[in-house]
Amino acid sequence: MENVQPVSDSLVRARDLPWIPQGSANVWFKPLRINLRAGSWVNLLKVARSGVVNRHRHLSEVEGWVVQGRWHYLEHDWQAEPGAYVYEPPGDVHTLVADVTDAEPMLTLFAIHGPIEYVTETGDLAYVETAETKLKRYEDHCREHGIPLQPIVF
C-alpha cells in the first residue's frame, strides 16, 4: 500500500461542462472524470433522434446507469430504461441504438474501465478510444469554442 496516493474529494458540476460531439451523428458525451493512470473515464452520454453509437468492443468492464430515455443493443434482446443499471463485460461487442420517441434525448452515465475498440461491420479495427483520446477530444473542443477547462483529470 506504500504506492497509494491519497486523493481529496472532488466535485464536478456537469452543468459547467460542454457536450462534446462523440463522432456519430446525434451523439455527444460530457466527461465527468478522466483517470489517466488507470485508463478509465466517467461520462454522460447523450443520444438524440434515434442516434447510434457505432459497433464497438470493450477491452474492460463498463457500467451504465440510464438517467432518461431508452436504448438497446442491436446484438441483445433487452431494452434499458430510466433507472436501469447495465453491466458490460470485457470483450462484449455491440451497437447502441437510442429508442428516442419524444423530444427528450437518451442520457446514460457510463463508467468505462479501459479502452474501447470501434470496429467495422466486418469486425476490422477502425479506431481505439482511450482515456487519453477522450481527454484530447474534450480539451480540443473547449479550446476551439473558448470554453474554460474544468478539473476533470483525477
Side-chain angles (χ1 to χ4, degrees):
M1 293 297 246
E2 57 195 70
N3 291 332
V4 176
Q5 299 292 323
V7 176
S8 63
D9 293 349
S10 296
L11 174 68
V12 176
R13 297 192 193 288
R15 69 175 177 252
D16 295 338
L17 295 163
W19 287 106
I20 315 295
Q22 174 87 8
S24 303
N26 301 321
V27 180
W28 303 266
F29 73 96
K30 187 176 281 213
L32 302 175
R33 178 184 186 207
I34 297 178
N35 183 334
L36 296 173
R37 189 166 34 143
S40 62
W41 64 95
V42 177
N43 63 215
L44 283 168
L45 182 72
K46 176 169 77 170
V47 184
R49 289 174 268 156
S50 298
V52 174
V53 175
N54 294 336
R55 189 168 186 235
H56 58 279
R57 174 180 28 256
H58 295 285
L59 301 185
S60 298
E61 298 177 320
V62 172
E63 300 171 84
W65 186 71
V66 183
V67 177
Q68 88 181 16
R70 297 174 187 279
W71 56 269
H72 70 279
Y73 289 132
L74 294 178
E75 298 79 6
H76 299 298
D77 63 354
W78 49 261
Q79 183 184 57
E81 71 283 332
Y85 168 81
V86 177
Y87 171 78
E88 302 169 7
D92 200 32
V93 178
H94 46 250
T95 310
L96 187 152
V97 178
D99 303 317
V100 179
T101 58
D102 54 22
E104 282 191 343
M106 177 281 280
L107 293 176
T108 300
L109 176 68
F110 280 108
I112 299 101
H113 301 284
I116 300 171
E117 294 180 336
Y118 286 88
V119 296
T120 65
E121 290 181 16
T122 59
D124 294 328
L125 183 63
Y127 176 75
V128 178
E129 187 83 88
T130 65
E132 290 82 6
T133 61
K134 272 298 195 204
L135 179 60
K136 182 174 181 347
R137 281 186 195 222
Y138 165 68
E139 289 177 341
D140 288 351
H141 180 85
C142 288
R143 285 188 189 104
E144 183 179 321
H145 293 88
I147 300 169
L149 294 173
Q150 300 297 315
I152 62 168
V153 178
F154 55 94

